[in-house]
Amino acid sequence: MAQKKSISGEKIQLKRVRLSFPTLHKADVPKGYDNAEPKFSANFLLDPKDPGHKALLKHIKAEMSGLIKKAWPAGKPPKFKPIDCFGKGEGFTNNTTKQPYEGYEGMYVVAANNKKRPTLIDRDKTPLTPDEVEQRMYAGCYVDAFINFWIQDNQFGEAIRCSLQAVRFREDGEEFGAGGVDPDEFDDLDDGELADELDDDDDLDDLDDLDDDDMDDLDDLDDLDD
């Protein structure tokens, strides 16, 4: 039986990348993997139009290619798992809508995790408590991070993975999912219509006609579980 490989790549620093799906204040089990070990994890978005990110993307691709060739000189094994720790943003989609996540289109994504708590620090390198991490490192802010790729070749399969080593808060950004609502999206209200509604007491009078059975039905609402 061939000896299992354990190959880790170099530490790579990601600079001013956008943070997405952070699970950093505490380790958690990914949805759909109830038997998996809890992990700290995060996605990092890189913009290929940014000169610094463009160079970084080339370095990442070269690093991953080198690790794969080192592990399997004759080529990737037949059961090599699809790479899910790095790729174009369009490949990271919502399971329900099947559409790319907000902010992912046109970007590249590094998805990293670790069973051990990574180093988590503020701009001035001050260590952050779990509560501070939850407030400071929100989805949409910009961070610096250290990651490294490694080869998985064991009873769980053959693949390339990405380990999360450290994250530093860098600067605020627009929070994902916090677009809000433009006031102009509301319909214009007519004061005359409002007066007509107040004069119409029929619906209010119906409340007086509720019998005991109706009240029992309403009481059942209190028994609903969370």
Side-chain angles (χ1 to χ4, degrees), residues 36-50:
E37 292 186 76
K39 293 181 179 180
F40 298 90
S41 62
N43 289 359
F44 305 100
L45 276 57
L46 289 80
D47 185 354
K49 296 179 181 179
D50 180 281

Side-chain angles (χ1 to χ4, degrees), residues 85-161:
C85 61
F86 174 74
K88 291 184 177 180
E90 288 79 2
F92 291 76
T93 58
N94 183 293
N95 289 333
T96 301
T97 66
K98 308 303 180 184
Q99 297 298 312
Y101 291 114
E102 178 186 355
Y104 278 52
E105 291 190 64
M107 300 290 161
Y108 276 81
V109 180
V110 173
N113 60 65
N114 201 328
K115 290 182 289 186
K116 297 180 180 179
R117 188 177 193 270
T119 300
L120 302 168
I121 59 177
D122 210 339
R123 279 182 59 88
D124 59 1
K125 301 182 183 181
T126 302
L128 295 172
T129 66
D131 287 342
E132 290 172 334
V133 168
E134 188 173 17
Q135 294 296 320
R136 198 75 162 138
M137 295 184 176
Y138 57 88
C141 76
Y142 290 87
V143 299
D144 300 328
F146 274 103
I147 53 102
N148 74 279
F149 294 95
W150 58 279
I151 294 296
Q152 174 187 335
D153 185 8
N154 54 30
Q155 69 270 29
F156 300 110
E158 299 157 317
I160 187 165
R161 305 299 187 190

Side-chain angles (χ1 to χ4, degrees), residues 13 23 30 52 56 59 71 84 97 108 133 143 145 157 164 166-167 177 189-190 196 218 221:
Q13 184 174 9
T23 302
L56 186 56
H59 181 63
D84 59 6
T97 66
Y108 276 81
V133 168
V143 299
L164 179 59
V167 184
L189 293 178
D190 187 299
D196 291 340
L218 294 176
L221 294 177

